[in-house]
Structure formats: C-alpha cells, structure tokens
Amino acid sequence: MQSALTSPPDGYTIVFVGPNNAINATFYEKLSFDFIHDSAPVAGTMRLTNVMEVNLAVPVNNVAEFIAYARVNPGKVNFASGGVGASPHLSGELFKAMTGVNIVHVPYRGGAPALTDLLAGQVQALFDNLPGSIGHIRTGKVRALGMTASKRVAALPDVPAIAETVPGYEASVWYGIAAPRGLSRLTLSQHSIRR
C-alpha cells in the first residue's frame, strides 16, 4: 500500500483495497502513509457480510439466546475467527462491546481451520466471511445466528441480521480500487481510453 500510495498520481498505479487497509491504521502507530488522506477512491468492487454461527452442540438458536448463554457462562464461551485484526475478528469484538458479553477470542490462521474446528466442536462460535461458511450453513452442519450486515441478505433470507437483536450493530466487508491522492478523473479516463 505504501508503494502504491506514494507513486505519482499519473493513472498508471491503482491498488486493490479492502477492510484490512482501514484496520491497519488502528493497529500500527507509525505507518509511513495515511490511507484515508493519501488515497483517492476509484471504484467499489464488492461488499459482503460476515456471519455469526455456532456448533450444533451449543444450546442456542438465535442471537438473544447466545447473549443469555454467554452471560450465565462468562469467560467460558469462545468464538473463533480467521485471524487477529481481520474483519471477522473485529465483527466479534464489536459484538462483545455492544452486548457486554465476556466471550474469549480464539484466533486461527485463516477461516478454513477455524471452520474445521467449529464443525468438530473445538470452538463454540465463529465469525466468518459468509462465502466461507454458506455451504455448511445450508446443509445444517452449523447453525447461523446472525448476519453482520445491517439487514438480512438474499443468500440466506431466514437468518436475521444481528442488528435485529442488537440495535445499531453493523460490520460490513468492502473492497474497491484506489489510486494515489491527486489522481484526476480526466487522467484515469484518458488511460482507460488508450487501452
């Protein structure tokens, strides 16, 4: 990102951006660039949701029951994610902050091993990107409790948004294209016309 954003704003350098770019600004005290200030948005490419799901042995069927279960078992309920600082981890941390539940984060090196341990009952809950879990949700191998988007999603219309139980909760995942700050629309369109 540093290399891309410190390049000349001549239209020859664009960069793929995602939630990690905004998250990194909170994790690293001394980045050599300011993502918001030094980038110019070009286009949004995709937006998706994360999902909160549990192993079938966890005795809850919805977000309200999960909150109640976690409150009577403080520090004994865990949630997995694909890694520290990734959007699923922060979705879980936001859930903790907004509900006041004491649940323990178990970070993995990717969503696949976290999902494998959820299926095996090694962890009780998981916040995951929806595409990684949707097959197991549809086949009933895990129980989806809620979507992190502000509304229900068309892919799983029967799964409520967490916000239906926790007002104001929203954690969306977004991706797009950016360029170094100072890029003009004219410069960008001139490059696309030449190709």
Side-chain angles (χ1 to χ4, degrees):
M1 189 56 64
Q2 175 185 349
S3 177
L5 296 184
T6 57
S7 295
D10 56 12
Y12 287 105
T13 302
I14 60 172
V15 64
F16 186 70
V17 297
N20 56 302
N21 299 114
I23 293 167
N24 283 344
T26 66
F27 276 172
Y28 300 101
E29 289 183 28
K30 296 186 180 185
L31 287 174
S32 60
F33 63 93
D34 179 329
F35 174 69
I36 299 296
H37 180 267
D38 297 336
S39 68
V42 175
T45 59
M46 177 176 53
R47 190 170 179 170
L48 59 97
T49 184
N50 291 329
V51 60
M52 178 187 186
E53 54 200 291
V54 294
N55 176 277
L56 298 178
V58 177
V60 302
N61 293 304
N62 56 53
V63 171
E65 289 178 7
F66 183 87
I67 293 168
Y69 180 71
R71 285 191 175 140
V72 298
N73 294 288
K76 295 177 183 173
V77 178
N78 58 43
F79 80 94
S81 78
V84 173
S87 68
H89 170 218
L90 296 182
S91 295
E93 294 297 334
L94 179 63
F95 182 82
K96 286 174 57 175
M98 292 184 72
T99 61
V101 296
N102 178 7
I103 56 178
V104 179
H105 178 233
V106 181
Y108 283 78
R109 291 185 178 198
L115 182 57
T116 298
D117 275 4
L118 179 72
L119 290 163
Q122 299 299 313
V123 291
Q124 296 157 312
L126 169 67
F127 281 83
D128 194 16
N129 296 131
L130 181 58
S133 289
I134 194 166
H136 294 295
I137 294 167
R138 286 184 173 156
T139 58
K141 293 179 182 171
V142 296
R143 184 178 306 118
L145 299 183
M147 298 297 174
T148 65
S150 62
K151 298 184 239 180
R152 294 180 186 224
V153 298
L156 293 171
D158 294 335
V159 178
I162 293 171
E164 293 177 39
T165 304
V166 183
Y169 181 96
E170 179 183 7
S172 294
V173 183
W174 49 267
Y175 295 92
I177 305 295
R181 186 173 188 85
L183 179 71
S184 72
R185 289 178 192 252
L186 178 61
T187 302
L188 191 60
S189 63
Q190 286 171 341
H191 283 293
S192 63
I193 291 170
R194 279 189 235 162
R195 299 194 182 241

